[in-house]
Amino acid sequence: MSMRTVVVGTSGTTVDDVIAVARDGARVELSAAALDALATARALVDELAAKPDPVYGVSTGFGALATRSIGQDLRGLLQRNIVRSHAAGMGPRVEREVVRALMFLRLKTVCSGHTGVRPGVARTMADLLNAGITPVVHEYGSLGCSGDLAPLSHCALTLLGEGEAEGPDGRLRPAADLLAEHGIAPVELREKEGLALLNGTDGMLGMLVMAIADLQRLYTSADITAALTLEALLGTDSVLAPELHAIRPHPGQAVAAANMRAVLKGSGLTGHYQQDEAPRVQDAYSVRCAPQVAGAGRDTLAHARLVAERELAAAVDNPVVLPAERRVESNGNFHGAPVAYVLDFLAIAAADLASIAERRTDRLLDKHRSHGLPPFLAEDPGVDSGLMIAQYTQAALVSEMKRLAVPASVDSIPSSAMQEDHVSMGWSAARKLRTAVGALARVLAVELYTATRALELREGLTPAPASLAAVAALRATGVRGPGPDRFLAPELEAVDSFVRSGALLDAVEPLTGPLG
């Protein structure tokens, strides 16, 4: 549990705040300005609710049923019923960090003063996060338009003290029992509040934010593994010269090349590419073009972060309360297209980065292309298969990532009696990106495992200091490298954890300086 406290105001939140709450368990507090904005917006909703004129979401039904005017005696029931009926998700539970991001981002929008939710409801949302109570949210149920309706409904159900939730001890229990144990009173919903708790892009946005954080680390890790492979193949670092990248001024490409140059500084292996039995004028594309591919992905990541930051500053609800104009207005801001597109973009970029990493790995294992390394880097080729099947696993992951790169956002399935006749599928895009990010980490782990083994086999030549530091840090975890008596799966899992945790960057950056 983090000791940090995140204060939620009226003007959105940041990537770092989302990560702190979702992954690190940071506490959440509401600012005085947020409480004032909540009270102001609620007063307007109460005023409009008392008038005879129907107002969508306040005194009417929802979606295709919006034409029915609802009397005051049924409005509380209407708000409860929309939560219960929309909590219709199915399938396995999504991860705790995803649900916490979802809850926090909905609270962020509620506190904008554009939803009409009472301050007490917002406080209860914060209390759930601070108590470590996590609603059960299912894999399937969101079309990414009208927001992530089913996932958000399952979160709202917990606020009502209904359904099941996970306690801070990780056990599933009735939500009512968990709320009672933590002194949290269940919410009694009033006009508009049920709808305001359901109508946002918070699930897909939370997963986008966490993917951005993970991919930033993985792109830097990929520059390191590419540099180690270039070195182990006795390749040339001349293609990394800054003047070459300046004449094609994509910023991500320049960063990737600079990272690789920093890792390779002081290497005794680069430059030997013309001194072996098969001199090369130039290296293969998977080595030579590593900065161009990783750089394009970095630039895609930068665009995705821009979209995420805009969405983090947004108030997404329908209808929205406009206190300055003294009206409640229907709108289309809940449509997930901006988020869905970049989720799909990132899945494509991640698949391509994995693909080029797998091609570099294969070169290290092929005695005809590895420039003097033993077949499959085996200790005793024939008796020992070395890393042959590790590359099979890597190839299987890359193939899966190519399937995951098929965009979800180009699909649309009409719903709600054709009222919601075009949807974003942003939740689906986020779920498959999440799988792709995990697969990318594993692909890079196999390249790292292979490249460090190859460097150790280059006897008589001294790798770069940063490369030696990476090898030493990996060996310090207990990873020994392949051998005829070794079961590889635990070693590969350990390398995967090494990459995901950022330990590779921690090992290298004291020698390279901060990498981009």
Side-chain angles (χ1 to χ4, degrees):
M1 179 70 74
S2 170
M3 299 302 292
R4 179 180 170 187
T5 297
V6 172
V7 178
V8 183
T10 60
S11 58
T13 189
T14 67
V15 168
D16 289 344
D17 284 348
V18 175
I19 299 296
V21 174
R23 289 183 165 166
D24 303 332
R27 287 187 58 80
V28 175
E29 292 181 1
L30 310 184
S31 72
L35 293 170
D36 288 345
L38 285 159
T40 298
R42 185 64 211 180
L44 178 58
V45 169
D46 289 340
E47 178 185 322
L48 294 173
K51 294 181 177 181
D53 299 329
V55 178
Y56 175 67
V58 176
S59 53
T60 71
F62 311 119
L65 304 176
T67 55
R68 178 177 172 182
S69 181
I70 307 297
Q72 291 191 7
D73 58 328
L74 294 176
R75 291 175 188 171
L77 179 61
L78 170 68
Q79 300 299 324
R80 290 195 298 276
N81 283 349
I82 192 174
V83 172
R84 290 166 176 161
S85 67
H86 285 43
M90 295 181 70
R93 291 173 59 196
V94 302
E95 302 82 359
R96 181 176 183 271
E97 67 178 18
V98 172
V99 180
R100 284 185 62 83
L102 176 73
M103 295 165 69
F104 174 67
L105 289 170
R106 196 68 217 142
L107 176 60
K108 175 270 299 181
T109 285
V110 162
C111 287
S112 69
H114 291 291
T115 67
V117 168
R118 288 168 293 157
V121 176
R123 287 194 188 96
T124 303
M125 296 170 76
D127 289 343
L128 281 187
L129 285 165
N130 292 337
I133 297 171
T134 307
V136 172
V137 174
H138 298 278
E139 179 80 21
Y140 304 107
S142 174
L143 299 179
C145 201
S146 284
D148 294 315
L149 285 175
L152 283 162
S153 298
H154 282 280
C155 292
L157 202 64
T158 301
L159 285 172
L160 305 185
E162 300 182 12
E164 282 192 320
E166 180 186 294
D169 59 358
R171 291 193 301 126
L172 279 183
R173 299 179 52 201
D177 294 349
L178 285 168
L179 265 59
E181 283 184 13
H182 289 86
I184 300 172
V187 168
E188 290 286 340
L189 296 174
R190 289 174 51 183
E191 291 95 341
K192 195 184 177 303
E193 289 180 333
L195 188 58
L197 295 175
L198 315 185
N199 215 322
T201 57
D202 309 293
M204 64 181 91
L205 177 59
M207 287 185 275
L208 173 62
V209 167
M210 289 186 284
I212 288 169
D214 293 340
L215 286 169
Q216 285 174 329
R217 182 169 57 252
L218 291 176
Y219 268 91
T220 305
S221 299
D223 294 336
I224 297 171
T225 60
L228 298 184
T229 298
L230 182 153
E231 192 174 23
L233 289 171
L234 307 179
T236 175
D237 58 356
S238 63
V239 296
L240 305 175
E243 57 270 23
L244 294 175
H245 298 277
I247 61 175
R248 194 188 191 195
H250 293 285
Q253 175 180 325
V255 170
N259 285 347
M260 291 181 68
R261 284 198 308 274
V263 172
L264 292 170
K265 185 177 181 180
S267 174
L269 280 75
T270 57
H272 284 261
Y273 68 104
Q274 289 183 320
Q275 299 177 23
D276 54 25
E277 294 178 0
R280 286 163 284 161
V281 175
Q282 53 191 6
D283 292 313
Y285 284 7
S286 60
V287 177
R288 190 175 7 137
C289 301
Q292 285 77 8
V293 172
R298 261 195 178 77
D299 291 343
T300 303
L301 189 59
H303 173 64
R305 188 179 184 104
L306 176 63
V307 171
E309 288 170 347
R310 288 170 177 166
E311 198 76 359
L312 289 171
V316 177
D317 194 14
N318 183 47
V320 291
V321 180
L322 301 171
E325 292 79 10
R326 302 202 59 73
R327 73 181 198 269
V328 174
E329 197 68 63
S330 180
N331 69 96
N333 284 342
F334 50 75
H335 199 290
V339 180
Y341 291 173
V342 294
L343 287 162
D344 280 337
F345 296 166
L346 290 177
I348 292 168
D352 201 35
L353 185 64
S355 179
I356 198 170
E358 182 275 330
R359 289 293 80 208
R360 289 192 297 262
T361 303
D362 185 63
R363 296 190 79 82
L364 288 167
L365 300 179
D366 183 350
K367 70 175 184 178
H368 300 294
R369 294 179 292 147
S370 65
H371 308 284
L373 293 171
F376 304 105
L377 307 185
E379 203 168 282
D380 186 4
V383 175
D384 171 14
S385 295
L387 291 174
M388 178 192 295
I389 306 304
Q391 186 268 332
Y392 280 36
T393 299
Q394 193 186 41
L397 287 162
V398 171
S399 183
E400 173 70 7
M401 290 180 71
K402 290 175 182 177
R403 291 190 291 273
L404 292 169
V406 176
S409 58
V410 297
D411 189 20
S412 179
I413 298 180
S415 57
S416 192
M418 293 298 285
Q419 177 71 7
E420 299 169 9
D421 60 350
H422 185 275
V423 297
S424 77
M425 302 308 296
W427 174 274
S428 299
R431 295 306 295 167
K432 68 185 184 64
L433 175 60
R434 199 170 165 82
T435 302
V437 170
L440 175 60
R442 293 185 174 95
V443 169
L444 295 178
V446 175
E447 182 178 20
L448 177 63
Y449 192 61
T450 306
T452 52
R453 165 67 172 167
L455 287 172
E456 289 177 321
L457 291 171
R458 292 295 189 189
E459 296 179 0
L461 297 172
T462 305
S467 302
L468 291 172
V471 174
L474 188 58
R475 296 292 175 257
T477 67
V479 172
R480 296 182 296 162
D485 59 344
R486 251 158 254 169
F487 177 31
L488 286 191
E491 294 239 314
L492 293 173
E493 292 291 348
V495 183
D496 178 40
S497 297
F498 184 80
V499 171
R500 288 175 194 256
S501 68
L504 176 59
L505 276 64
D506 293 340
V508 167
E509 287 188 323
L511 293 160
T512 61
L515 297 174

